[in-house]
């Protein structure tokens, strides 16, 4: 008789700890492979700790990606109260109960929690998000899946809310998936019918049903959903997978959503102006289809296995690439694989990652926390600096660039950040005064802060339009040590932006480089599809040899630059850049240096690269060595 099988659920971390503490007992009772358990633990912990991007608002609120998408698409400024969570609602109700506002009544989900949700929505809906005028329409996303227990108080709150604000002020759009099994190739409407049935059972009847599908669904399927879900055929909106997300608003317009909402909510929109208002968006969507020339940007990060960690960075690069009429090709490089240890342990992966980095047109080093992969980021900064490759560093990317420069140019081989080495003798990056070691919660510098530009030439200041100050959003806990700033500037690193007190370094640039820029703030948070972020636009333009002409025209793209067709003028520019690169490899003494895009930045003479071994472990060809 076969033995019965049992399933044992254990705490793998504790299991490994017990093996180390009491090896005799475990070895006697179990045949255990400790290495296998450790690998299992790494995979399990990694699968549940995938870092998702934290989006930061002007007031310093840390929210999820959805609010960031709303800000980008609607070009508005949201606030912390626009993010409604269960924790916030329960905290509000508990505080009211503690102050006696419920007069000793028993606090319940209905009506106290549901009333708090409705009052929150009514209050926030009056807050301006664009200028000083109150919004005319408030979009509320009721997330999750209908039927989930954690979302039921919100469903009940909005069931009551529709009667509180009257029918003409309330419109419900239900988003549902219409799967298309490959075995049959026929769209299945059962999931939509089931979810609408459950939604109506909760007291909410959808006015619009937005059907998401892989491919367009026909009129027959729309009529079927209409019949079984108690809506008209014109109220079933089909949104299939498109080549670009920027086509979605245009597809919704074609399905008559604007006309329906105008009538349903009595908005009194002048429909004659609609075409003019959406023209810029149409041009943007058309450009995504017609653009042919590519630009390759390498993102050297530590969370590259989960690309949503850099969602805002990717969006900002897309905005800039479309503005420069380029098709963006992204290459994600795991910074750990650029380090010397990988060269010894996994040389194949090491050389593949370095090849991808070398073949890219530009390099971006984004933010992050922790020691893992830091040395790889530092080596990427070194390679970009030595080989005059367009570079943009953000937050940790700025800190890595400063540490690399100090090691290579100032000779401080032990230069580091106190985040990684608290006892380093040369702490180029230190924790902020507000940061309390061991207490991470609420100690970061968050939200919009003012950056003051220093006197003197600055590429980034020109890209912003030559203002005295700019306001950008921050999210960091460490910053450049100000006592090393004079020595860094003596060797060519310019701190062109600081905070208002001139104690925090916000922007760095290299004098003898086509585009080596890094910011302590996160410019990706304020990038918009029709208004790309200047640091990202500068990276894209420098990567395609157009930055010089862009600045010369007063930071405006010419019709020739916007054209996707090649021209003799651009070919000549590329030819000059190639000739310049050849001269740079030969390193002719006392020859004025011209960058790849023609900007000299007023710097002549010797190269800013260091002699000897390069960032990727080989020799530095820019110094004439073979």
């Amino acid at each position: 008789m076969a033995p019965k099988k049992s399933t044992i659920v254990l705490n793998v971390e504790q299991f490994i700890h017990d093996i180390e503490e009491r090896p005799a007992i475990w070895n006697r009772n179990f045949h255990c492979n400790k290495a296998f358990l450790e690998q299992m633990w790494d995979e399990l912990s990694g699968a549940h700790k995938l870092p998702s991007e934290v989006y930061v608002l002007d007031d310093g609120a840390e929210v999820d990606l959805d609010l960031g998408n709303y800000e980008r698409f609607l070009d508005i400024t949201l606030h912390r109260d626009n993010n409604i969570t269960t924790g916030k609602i329960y905290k509000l109700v508990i505080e009211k109960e503690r102050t006696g506002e419920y007069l000793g009544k028993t606090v319940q989900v209905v009506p106290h929690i549901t009333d708090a949700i409705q009052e929150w929505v009514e209050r926030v809906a009056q807050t301006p998000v664009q200028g000083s005028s109150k919004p005319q329409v408030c979009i509320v996303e009721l997330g999750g899946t209908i039927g989930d227990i954690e979302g039921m108080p919100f469903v009940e709150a909005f069931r009551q809310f529709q009667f509180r604000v009257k029918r003409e002020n309330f419109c419900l759009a239900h988003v549902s998936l219409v799967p298309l099994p490959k075995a049959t190739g026929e769209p299945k409407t059962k999931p939509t019918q089931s979810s609408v049935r459950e939604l109506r059972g909760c007291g909410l009847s959808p006015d619009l049903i937005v059907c998401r599908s892989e491919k367009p669904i026909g009129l027959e399927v729309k009529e079927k959903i209409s019949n079984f879900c108690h809506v008209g055929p014109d109220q079933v909106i089909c949104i299939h997978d498109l080549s670009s997300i920027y086509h979605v608003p245009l597809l919704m317009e074609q399905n008559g959503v604007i006309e329906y909402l105008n009538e349903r909510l009595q908005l009194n929109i002048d429909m004659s102006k609609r075409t003019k208002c959406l023209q810029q968006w149409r041009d943007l969507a058309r450009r995504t289809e017609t653009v042919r020339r590519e630009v390759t940007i390498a993102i050297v990060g530590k969370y590259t296995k989960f690309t949503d960690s850099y969602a805002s960075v990717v969006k900002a690069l897309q905005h800039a690439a479309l503005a420069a009429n380029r098709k963006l090709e992204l290459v994600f490089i795991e910074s750990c694989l650029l380090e010397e240890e990988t060269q010894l342990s996994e040389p194949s992966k090491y050389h593949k990652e370095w090849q991808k980095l070398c073949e890219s047109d530009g390099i971006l080093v984004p933010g992050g926390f922790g020691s893992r992969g830091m040395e790889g980021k530092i080596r990427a900064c070194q390679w970009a600096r030595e080989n005059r490759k367009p570079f943009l560093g953000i937050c940790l990317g700025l800190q890595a660039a400063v540490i690399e420069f100090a090691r290579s140019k100032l000779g401080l081989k032990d230069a580091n950040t106190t985040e990684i080495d608290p006892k380093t003798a040369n702490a180029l990056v230190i924790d902020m005064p507000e940061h309390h070691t061991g207490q991470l919660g609420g100690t970061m510098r968050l939200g919009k802060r003012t950056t003051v530009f220093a006197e003197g030439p600055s590429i980034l200041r020109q890209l912003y339009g030559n203002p005295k100050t700019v306001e950008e959003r921050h999210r960091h806990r460490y910053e450049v040590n100000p006592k090393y700033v004079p020595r860094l500037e003596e060797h060519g690193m310019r701190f062109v932006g600081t905070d208002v007190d001139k104690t925090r370094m916000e922007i760095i640039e290299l004098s003898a480089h086509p585009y080596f820029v890094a910011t302590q703030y996160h410019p990706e948070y304020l990038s918009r599809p029709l208004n790309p972020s200047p640091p990202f636009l500068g990276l894209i333009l420098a990567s395609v040899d157009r930055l010089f002409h862009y600045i010369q025209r007063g930071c405006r793209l010419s019709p020739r630059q916007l054209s996707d067709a090649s021209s003799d003028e651009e070919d000549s520019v590329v030819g000059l850049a190639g000739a310049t690169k050849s001269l740079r490899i030969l390193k002719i003494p006392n020859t004025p240096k011209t960058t790849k895009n023609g900007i000299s930045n007023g710097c002549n003479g010797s190269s800013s690269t260091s002699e000897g071994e390069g960032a990727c472990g080989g020799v530095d060809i820019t110094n004439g060595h073979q």
Side-chain angles (χ1 to χ4, degrees), residues 39 51 56 76 95 137 181 195 199 214 281-282 324 359 402 419 463 469 482 496 518 523 539:
Q39 181 183 358
V56 179
I76 56 179
E95 288 175 349
V137 175
S195 63
L199 184 63
E214 183 181 353
W281 197 271
R282 287 193 183 91
E359 291 176 349
V402 170
E419 181 182 13
L463 290 171
T469 63
V496 299
L539 175 65

PDB file of all heavy atoms in Angstrom, residues 39 51 56 76 95 137 181 195 199 214 281-282 324 359 402 419 463 469 482 496 518 523 539:
ATOM      1  N   GLN A  39      18.270  28.651  -1.816  1.00  0.00           N
ATOM      2  CA  GLN A  39      17.831  29.081  -3.147  1.00  0.00           C
ATOM      3  C   GLN A  39      16.304  29.232  -3.181  1.00  0.00           C
ATOM      4  O   GLN A  39      15.772  30.178  -3.756  1.00  0.00           O
ATOM      5  CB  GLN A  39      18.276  28.064  -4.195  1.00  0.00           C
ATOM      6  CG  GLN A  39      17.869  28.451  -5.618  1.00  0.00           C
ATOM      7  CD  GLN A  39      18.263  27.375  -6.622  1.00  0.00           C
ATOM      8  OE1 GLN A  39      18.858  26.377  -6.268  1.00  0.00           O
ATOM      9  NE2 GLN A  39      17.912  27.605  -7.874  1.00  0.00           N
ATOM     10  N   PRO A  51       9.880  45.142  -6.351  1.00  0.00           N
ATOM     11  CA  PRO A  51       9.676  46.556  -6.041  1.00  0.00           C
ATOM     12  C   PRO A  51       8.868  47.249  -7.123  1.00  0.00           C
ATOM     13  O   PRO A  51       9.241  47.268  -8.287  1.00  0.00           O
ATOM     14  CB  PRO A  51      11.103  47.108  -5.983  1.00  0.00           C
ATOM     15  CG  PRO A  51      11.889  46.199  -6.873  1.00  0.00           C
ATOM     16  CD  PRO A  51      11.233  44.854  -6.807  1.00  0.00           C
ATOM     17  N   VAL A  56       5.380  60.062  -6.462  1.00  0.00           N
ATOM     18  CA  VAL A  56       5.400  61.137  -5.481  1.00  0.00           C
ATOM     19  C   VAL A  56       4.653  62.348  -6.027  1.00  0.00           C
ATOM     20  O   VAL A  56       4.878  62.763  -7.179  1.00  0.00           O
ATOM     21  CB  VAL A  56       6.846  61.525  -5.115  1.00  0.00           C
ATOM     22  CG1 VAL A  56       6.851  62.675  -4.113  1.00  0.00           C
ATOM     23  CG2 VAL A  56       7.594  60.335  -4.550  1.00  0.00           C
ATOM     24  N   ILE A  76      -2.762  67.299 -14.822  1.00  0.00           N
ATOM     25  CA  ILE A  76      -3.274  67.977 -13.645  1.00  0.00           C
ATOM     26  C   ILE A  76      -2.316  67.739 -12.486  1.00  0.00           C
ATOM     27  O   ILE A  76      -1.361  66.971 -12.596  1.00  0.00           O
ATOM     28  CB  ILE A  76      -4.684  67.471 -13.263  1.00  0.00           C
ATOM     29  CG1 ILE A  76      -4.660  65.950 -13.055  1.00  0.00           C
ATOM     30  CG2 ILE A  76      -5.706  67.864 -14.322  1.00  0.00           C
ATOM     31  CD1 ILE A  76      -5.991  65.347 -12.645  1.00  0.00           C
ATOM     32  N   GLU A  95     -10.615  58.554  14.776  1.00  0.00           N
ATOM     33  CA  GLU A  95     -10.339  59.862  15.390  1.00  0.00           C
ATOM     34  C   GLU A  95     -11.640  60.585  15.746  1.00  0.00           C
ATOM     35  O   GLU A  95     -11.731  61.229  16.802  1.00  0.00           O
ATOM     36  CB  GLU A  95      -9.494  60.703  14.436  1.00  0.00           C
ATOM     37  CG  GLU A  95      -8.048  60.230  14.310  1.00  0.00           C
ATOM     38  CD  GLU A  95      -7.270  61.007  13.276  1.00  0.00           C
ATOM     39  OE1 GLU A  95      -7.897  61.774  12.507  1.00  0.00           O
ATOM     40  OE2 GLU A  95      -6.030  60.861  13.219  1.00  0.00           O
ATOM     41  N   VAL A 137     -15.750  67.905 -13.399  1.00  0.00           N
ATOM     42  CA  VAL A 137     -15.986  66.471 -13.335  1.00  0.00           C
ATOM     43  C   VAL A 137     -14.937  65.845 -12.430  1.00  0.00           C
ATOM     44  O   VAL A 137     -13.763  66.209 -12.498  1.00  0.00           O
ATOM     45  CB  VAL A 137     -15.922  65.822 -14.741  1.00  0.00           C
ATOM     46  CG1 VAL A 137     -16.056  64.309 -14.630  1.00  0.00           C
ATOM     47  CG2 VAL A 137     -17.010  66.382 -15.645  1.00  0.00           C
ATOM     48  N   PRO A 181     -10.108  32.974 -26.152  1.00  0.00           N
ATOM     49  CA  PRO A 181      -9.330  31.724 -26.105  1.00  0.00           C
ATOM     50  C   PRO A 181      -8.757  31.370 -27.474  1.00  0.00           C
ATOM     51  O   PRO A 181      -9.456  31.459 -28.495  1.00  0.00           O
ATOM     52  CB  PRO A 181     -10.358  30.686 -25.649  1.00  0.00           C
ATOM     53  CG  PRO A 181     -11.454  31.467 -25.010  1.00  0.00           C
ATOM     54  CD  PRO A 181     -11.497  32.780 -25.716  1.00  0.00           C
ATOM     55  N   SER A 195     -19.758  39.577 -13.834  1.00  0.00           N
ATOM     56  CA  SER A 195     -19.351  40.727 -13.017  1.00  0.00           C
ATOM     57  C   SER A 195     -20.434  41.795 -12.975  1.00  0.00           C
ATOM     58  O   SER A 195     -20.665  42.404 -11.925  1.00  0.00           O
ATOM     59  CB  SER A 195     -18.041  41.312 -13.547  1.00  0.00           C
ATOM     60  OG  SER A 195     -18.209  41.815 -14.860  1.00  0.00           O
ATOM     61  N   LEU A 199     -22.351  43.160  -9.726  1.00  0.00           N
ATOM     62  CA  LEU A 199     -22.365  44.595  -9.465  1.00  0.00           C
ATOM     63  C   LEU A 199     -23.786  45.099  -9.258  1.00  0.00           C
ATOM     64  O   LEU A 199     -24.056  45.889  -8.338  1.00  0.00           O
ATOM     65  CB  LEU A 199     -21.704  45.338 -10.637  1.00  0.00           C
ATOM     66  CG  LEU A 199     -21.552  46.854 -10.503  1.00  0.00           C
ATOM     67  CD1 LEU A 199     -20.645  47.205  -9.336  1.00  0.00           C
ATOM     68  CD2 LEU A 199     -20.989  47.453 -11.792  1.00  0.00           C
ATOM     69  N   GLU A 214      -8.147  41.510 -26.426  1.00  0.00           N
ATOM     70  CA  GLU A 214      -6.894  41.454 -27.175  1.00  0.00           C
ATOM     71  C   GLU A 214      -7.080  41.939 -28.600  1.00  0.00           C
ATOM     72  O   GLU A 214      -6.234  42.647 -29.134  1.00  0.00           O
ATOM     73  CB  GLU A 214      -6.363  40.020 -27.166  1.00  0.00           C
ATOM     74  CG  GLU A 214      -5.018  39.853 -27.856  1.00  0.00           C
ATOM     75  CD  GLU A 214      -4.531  38.422 -27.842  1.00  0.00           C
ATOM     76  OE1 GLU A 214      -5.165  37.580 -27.182  1.00  0.00           O
ATOM     77  OE2 GLU A 214      -3.500  38.127 -28.491  1.00  0.00           O
ATOM     78  N   TRP A 281      -3.316  65.929 -29.520  1.00  0.00           N
ATOM     79  CA  TRP A 281      -3.279  64.522 -29.137  1.00  0.00           C
ATOM     80  C   TRP A 281      -3.293  63.632 -30.371  1.00  0.00           C
ATOM     81  O   TRP A 281      -2.618  62.601 -30.405  1.00  0.00           O
ATOM     82  CB  TRP A 281      -4.465  64.201 -28.229  1.00  0.00           C
ATOM     83  CG  TRP A 281      -4.271  62.921 -27.488  1.00  0.00           C
ATOM     84  CD1 TRP A 281      -4.627  61.674 -27.914  1.00  0.00           C
ATOM     85  CD2 TRP A 281      -3.638  62.752 -26.222  1.00  0.00           C
ATOM     86  NE1 TRP A 281      -4.271  60.737 -26.985  1.00  0.00           N
ATOM     87  CE2 TRP A 281      -3.655  61.360 -25.934  1.00  0.00           C
ATOM     88  CE3 TRP A 281      -3.070  63.622 -25.294  1.00  0.00           C
ATOM     89  CZ2 TRP A 281      -3.133  60.842 -24.757  1.00  0.00           C
ATOM     90  CZ3 TRP A 281      -2.547  63.095 -24.133  1.00  0.00           C
ATOM     91  CH2 TRP A 281      -2.569  61.730 -23.864  1.00  0.00           C
ATOM     92  N   ARG A 282      -4.047  64.027 -31.394  1.00  0.00           N
ATOM     93  CA  ARG A 282      -4.057  63.256 -32.641  1.00  0.00           C
ATOM     94  C   ARG A 282      -2.678  63.250 -33.286  1.00  0.00           C
ATOM     95  O   ARG A 282      -2.221  62.223 -33.803  1.00  0.00           O
ATOM     96  CB  ARG A 282      -5.090  63.830 -33.612  1.00  0.00           C
ATOM     97  CG  ARG A 282      -6.536  63.551 -33.240  1.00  0.00           C
ATOM     98  CD  ARG A 282      -7.472  63.861 -34.407  1.00  0.00           C
ATOM     99  NE  ARG A 282      -8.858  63.663 -34.022  1.00  0.00           N
ATOM    100  CZ  ARG A 282      -9.641  64.597 -33.510  1.00  0.00           C
ATOM    101  NH1 ARG A 282      -9.158  65.827 -33.330  1.00  0.00           N
ATOM    102  NH2 ARG A 282     -10.891  64.339 -33.175  1.00  0.00           N
ATOM    103  N   ALA A 324      11.133  64.384 -30.004  1.00  0.00           N
ATOM    104  CA  ALA A 324      12.275  64.472 -30.915  1.00  0.00           C
ATOM    105  C   ALA A 324      12.062  63.642 -32.178  1.00  0.00           C
ATOM    106  O   ALA A 324      12.977  63.497 -32.985  1.00  0.00           O
ATOM    107  CB  ALA A 324      13.539  64.009 -30.200  1.00  0.00           C
ATOM    108  N   GLU A 359      26.640  49.493 -26.971  1.00  0.00           N
ATOM    109  CA  GLU A 359      25.934  49.698 -28.230  1.00  0.00           C
ATOM    110  C   GLU A 359      24.781  50.689 -28.121  1.00  0.00           C
ATOM    111  O   GLU A 359      24.178  51.045 -29.126  1.00  0.00           O
ATOM    112  CB  GLU A 359      25.394  48.360 -28.736  1.00  0.00           C
ATOM    113  CG  GLU A 359      26.483  47.401 -29.199  1.00  0.00           C
ATOM    114  CD  GLU A 359      25.925  46.054 -29.610  1.00  0.00           C
ATOM    115  OE1 GLU A 359      24.716  45.801 -29.337  1.00  0.00           O
ATOM    116  OE2 GLU A 359      26.677  45.257 -30.203  1.00  0.00           O
ATOM    117  N   VAL A 402      28.946  61.101  -8.741  1.00  0.00           N
ATOM    118  CA  VAL A 402      29.846  61.873  -7.875  1.00  0.00           C
ATOM    119  C   VAL A 402      30.905  60.964  -7.248  1.00  0.00           C
ATOM    120  O   VAL A 402      32.090  61.311  -7.189  1.00  0.00           O
ATOM    121  CB  VAL A 402      29.035  62.610  -6.789  1.00  0.00           C
ATOM    122  CG1 VAL A 402      29.971  63.219  -5.750  1.00  0.00           C
ATOM    123  CG2 VAL A 402      28.160  63.689  -7.415  1.00  0.00           C
ATOM    124  N   GLU A 419      25.338  55.220   3.054  1.00  0.00           N
ATOM    125  CA  GLU A 419      24.281  54.221   2.966  1.00  0.00           C
ATOM    126  C   GLU A 419      24.871  52.817   2.824  1.00  0.00           C
ATOM    127  O   GLU A 419      24.320  51.846   3.334  1.00  0.00           O
ATOM    128  CB  GLU A 419      23.371  54.525   1.773  1.00  0.00           C
ATOM    129  CG  GLU A 419      22.223  53.545   1.601  1.00  0.00           C
ATOM    130  CD  GLU A 419      21.368  53.840   0.388  1.00  0.00           C
ATOM    131  OE1 GLU A 419      21.803  54.650  -0.464  1.00  0.00           O
ATOM    132  OE2 GLU A 419      20.278  53.259   0.275  1.00  0.00           O
ATOM    133  N   LEU A 463      17.787  74.167 -21.329  1.00  0.00           N
ATOM    134  CA  LEU A 463      16.682  73.279 -21.689  1.00  0.00           C
ATOM    135  C   LEU A 463      15.411  73.643 -20.934  1.00  0.00           C
ATOM    136  O   LEU A 463      14.301  73.451 -21.447  1.00  0.00           O
ATOM    137  CB  LEU A 463      17.059  71.832 -21.396  1.00  0.00           C
ATOM    138  CG  LEU A 463      18.128  71.213 -22.298  1.00  0.00           C
ATOM    139  CD1 LEU A 463      18.561  69.849 -21.773  1.00  0.00           C
ATOM    140  CD2 LEU A 463      17.611  71.080 -23.724  1.00  0.00           C
ATOM    141  N   THR A 469      15.071  79.622 -11.255  1.00  0.00           N
ATOM    142  CA  THR A 469      14.754  78.480 -10.395  1.00  0.00           C
ATOM    143  C   THR A 469      13.795  77.541 -11.129  1.00  0.00           C
ATOM    144  O   THR A 469      13.099  77.940 -12.063  1.00  0.00           O
ATOM    145  CB  THR A 469      14.085  78.927  -9.075  1.00  0.00           C
ATOM    146  OG1 THR A 469      12.835  79.568  -9.376  1.00  0.00           O
ATOM    147  CG2 THR A 469      14.986  79.877  -8.309  1.00  0.00           C
ATOM    148  N   PRO A 482      28.602  68.423   1.120  1.00  0.00           N
ATOM    149  CA  PRO A 482      29.008  69.736   0.603  1.00  0.00           C
ATOM    150  C   PRO A 482      30.485  70.065   0.807  1.00  0.00           C
ATOM    151  O   PRO A 482      31.036  70.892   0.082  1.00  0.00           O
ATOM    152  CB  PRO A 482      28.111  70.720   1.372  1.00  0.00           C
ATOM    153  CG  PRO A 482      27.649  69.979   2.575  1.00  0.00           C
ATOM    154  CD  PRO A 482      27.587  68.538   2.187  1.00  0.00           C
ATOM    155  N   VAL A 496      25.560  72.942 -10.889  1.00  0.00           N
ATOM    156  CA  VAL A 496      24.857  74.085 -11.493  1.00  0.00           C
ATOM    157  C   VAL A 496      23.520  74.359 -10.836  1.00  0.00           C
ATOM    158  O   VAL A 496      22.853  75.337 -11.180  1.00  0.00           O
ATOM    159  CB  VAL A 496      24.656  73.853 -13.001  1.00  0.00           C
ATOM    160  CG1 VAL A 496      25.989  73.703 -13.708  1.00  0.00           C
ATOM    161  CG2 VAL A 496      23.782  72.625 -13.261  1.00  0.00           C
ATOM    162  N   ALA A 518      23.141  65.028 -14.168  1.00  0.00           N
ATOM    163  CA  ALA A 518      22.506  64.221 -13.127  1.00  0.00           C
ATOM    164  C   ALA A 518      21.747  65.152 -12.187  1.00  0.00           C
ATOM    165  O   ALA A 518      22.183  66.274 -11.920  1.00  0.00           O
ATOM    166  CB  ALA A 518      23.531  63.396 -12.355  1.00  0.00           C
ATOM    167  N   PRO A 523      12.912  64.144 -12.145  1.00  0.00           N
ATOM    168  CA  PRO A 523      12.181  64.916 -13.155  1.00  0.00           C
ATOM    169  C   PRO A 523      11.103  64.106 -13.867  1.00  0.00           C
ATOM    170  O   PRO A 523      10.225  64.690 -14.506  1.00  0.00           O
ATOM    171  CB  PRO A 523      13.284  65.337 -14.132  1.00  0.00           C
ATOM    172  CG  PRO A 523      14.360  64.306 -13.975  1.00  0.00           C
ATOM    173  CD  PRO A 523      14.314  63.898 -12.538  1.00  0.00           C
ATOM    174  N   LEU A 539      18.643  64.315 -22.945  1.00  0.00           N
ATOM    175  CA  LEU A 539      19.301  63.029 -23.146  1.00  0.00           C
ATOM    176  C   LEU A 539      18.993  62.465 -24.526  1.00  0.00           C
ATOM    177  O   LEU A 539      19.894  61.991 -25.231  1.00  0.00           O
ATOM    178  CB  LEU A 539      18.854  62.048 -22.063  1.00  0.00           C
ATOM    179  CG  LEU A 539      19.363  60.605 -22.214  1.00  0.00           C
ATOM    180  CD1 LEU A 539      20.873  60.544 -22.071  1.00  0.00           C
ATOM    181  CD2 LEU A 539      18.681  59.688 -21.200  1.00  0.00           C
TER     182      LEU A 539
END
